[in-house]
């Protein structure tokens, strides 16, 4: 397990220092594969979605398992494979870059650019969002994606190595692609959405706990988590966004529009409405949570070895 711990730590460091490759990103390649598979397997019922999800997630997990097996007994290769898989699936640096870019655009008064940029993070319609609406969308996305793109991959990586890393990222990517409640995808995407929910149950709560411990307002964070998380339609985004809201002393949630569908996210936190000045604070808290997550993963891996 010490090789797994070292590989996770090195992969996390690589993501923070280098970030995602601009070209030939493996996750992008998987997305293209998923699009091709969807074209062949799509049907408007849940069984087709189960086959689609099982095939793609299973293949990604099997690839990671095979690579892990092939390097057992060879420490340098084992660490390298785990580090590369970790770097491939993490998205912490890219998430921070998007947040800082939107922050700078809002500070410059370029609302149009910020509306375009925020679509890199959220699926809601940005056309009617004002400055505060964009700030809220950014903060909510940074909180949720800190769980999805940093904490959860590390969680599954420490438990199952490269198989857990690649399998989780495949499941999360499929949820982003087809896990929407639109007429075309409501049944076909059901399996991807529910499987992603299942995989994120524990990591989301670890993310919320780290926000409580590492944020500036533990009492407010715990209170918002316990009181408000259930109002969010997502069983995993609710605890994370509520804990971040309480830690930052702001109020998240409200009404959003997704693909023409209006969705009420409830009220998360008791503070003031967020502004652009809170984006940087959120990014800094997300960085602390990421560091806490990798430290936890390394500690768990070393403890399992003993």
């Amino acid at each position: 397990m010490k090789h797994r711990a070292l590989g996770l730590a090195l992969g996390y460091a690589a993501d923070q220092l280098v970030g995602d490759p601009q070209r030939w990103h493996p996750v992008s390649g998987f997305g293209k594969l998923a699009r091709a598979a969807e074209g062949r397997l799509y049907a408007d019922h849940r069984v087709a979605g189960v086959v689609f999800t099982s095939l793609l997630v299973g293949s990604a997990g099997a690839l990671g398992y095979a690579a892990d097996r092939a390097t057992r007994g060879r420490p340098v290769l084992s660490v390298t494979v785990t580090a590369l898989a970790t770097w491939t699936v993490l998205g912490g640096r890219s998430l921070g870059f998007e947040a800082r870019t939107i922050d700078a655009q809002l500070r410059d008064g370029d609302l149009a650019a910020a509306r375009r940029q925020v679509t890199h993070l959220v699926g809601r319609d940005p056309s009617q969002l004002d400055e505060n609406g964009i700030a809220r969308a950014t903060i909510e996305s940074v909180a949720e994606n800190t769980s999805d793109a940093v904490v959860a991959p590390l969680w599954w990586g420490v438990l199952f190595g490269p198989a857990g890393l690649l399998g989780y990222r495949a499941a999360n990517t499929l949820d982003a692609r087809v896990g929407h409640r639109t007429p075309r995808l409501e049944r076909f995407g059901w399996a991807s959405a529910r499987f992603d929910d299942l995989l994120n149950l524990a990591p989301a709560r670890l993310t919320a706990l780290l926000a409580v411990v590492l944020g500036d307002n533990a009492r407010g964070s715990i209170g918002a988590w316990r009181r408000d998380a259930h109002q969010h339609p997502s069983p995993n985004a609710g605890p994370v966004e509520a804990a971040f809201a309480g830690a930052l002393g702001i109020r998240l949630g409200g009404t959003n529009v997704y693909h023409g569908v209006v969705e009420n996210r409830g009220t998360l936190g008791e503070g003031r409405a967020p502004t652009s000045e809170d984006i940087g604070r959120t990014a800094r808290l997300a960085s602390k949570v990421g560091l806490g997550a990798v430290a936890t993963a390394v500690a768990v891996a070393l403890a399992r070895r003993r």
Side-chain angles (χ1 to χ4, degrees):
M1 283 295 175
K2 66 179 181 180
H3 301 141
R4 184 172 295 176
L6 180 57
L8 291 169
L10 289 175
Y12 177 85
D15 175 63
Q16 291 297 304
L17 293 172
V18 181
D20 295 331
Q22 296 300 308
R23 301 180 62 186
W24 312 109
H25 195 298
V27 175
S28 177
F30 178 81
K32 293 178 181 178
L33 177 64
R35 184 166 60 248
E38 181 186 348
R40 290 183 174 273
L41 298 174
Y42 175 81
D44 190 21
H45 53 72
R46 289 183 175 182
V47 173
V50 170
V51 172
F52 171 77
T53 303
S54 300
L55 177 63
L56 289 170
V57 175
S59 297
L63 177 63
Y65 178 77
D68 191 28
R69 289 283 296 181
T71 60
R72 287 186 183 177
R74 292 184 279 182
V76 174
L77 281 177
S78 178
V79 170
T80 301
V81 166
T82 301
L84 286 173
T86 304
W87 174 49
T88 295
V89 303
L90 293 185
R93 181 181 173 92
S94 295
L95 187 61
F97 171 80
E98 295 292 344
R100 289 190 297 273
T101 300
I102 294 168
D103 186 19
Q105 290 166 340
L106 291 177
R107 289 177 184 275
D108 291 341
D110 194 345
L111 187 60
R115 283 174 174 164
R116 290 191 298 270
Q117 194 75 29
V118 80
T119 61
H120 297 179
L121 292 175
V122 300
R124 70 191 70 172
D125 178 10
S127 61
Q128 301 303 312
L129 294 180
D130 59 12
E131 179 179 327
N132 289 352
I134 291 173
R136 177 169 73 85
T138 303
I139 291 165
E140 289 171 353
S141 181
V142 168
E144 181 179 1
N145 282 292
T146 297
S147 178
D148 289 355
V150 181
V151 180
L154 291 169
W155 170 275
W156 291 108
V158 76
L159 292 179
F160 298 109
L165 290 161
L166 299 186
Y168 170 77
R169 176 50 63 205
N172 190 245
T173 301
L174 294 186
D175 176 54
R177 175 166 182 80
V178 302
H180 307 293
R181 292 183 178 178
T182 62
R184 181 178 181 275
L185 295 173
E186 184 170 6
R187 285 174 286 276
F188 180 74
W190 174 84
S192 293
R194 297 290 78 78
F195 189 50
D196 183 71
D197 283 345
L198 178 64
L199 292 180
N200 279 290
L201 281 174
R205 282 141 189 87
L206 174 59
T207 306
L209 179 60
L210 289 170
V212 170
V213 173
L214 300 174
D216 295 330
N217 186 350
R219 178 177 294 182
S221 189
I222 293 172
W225 179 2
R226 294 180 61 184
R227 183 186 62 248
D228 302 329
H230 71 279
Q231 298 184 60
H232 198 290
S234 167
N236 299 319
V240 174
E241 292 182 22
F244 265 68
L248 295 165
I250 58 177
R251 184 176 68 255
L252 300 176
T255 301
N256 302 328
V257 180
Y258 297 91
H259 308 287
V261 177
V262 178
E263 185 176 285
N264 191 330
R265 296 293 183 96
T267 300
L268 310 175
E270 293 184 316
R272 57 176 173 76
T275 68
S276 60
E277 295 180 357
D278 297 309
I279 295 176
R281 297 174 61 226
T282 306
R284 288 190 290 274
L285 176 58
S287 293
K288 292 180 182 179
V289 169
L291 283 170
V294 73
T296 301
V298 168
V300 169
L302 293 176
R304 290 183 71 190
R305 176 174 177 263
R306 289 193 291 269

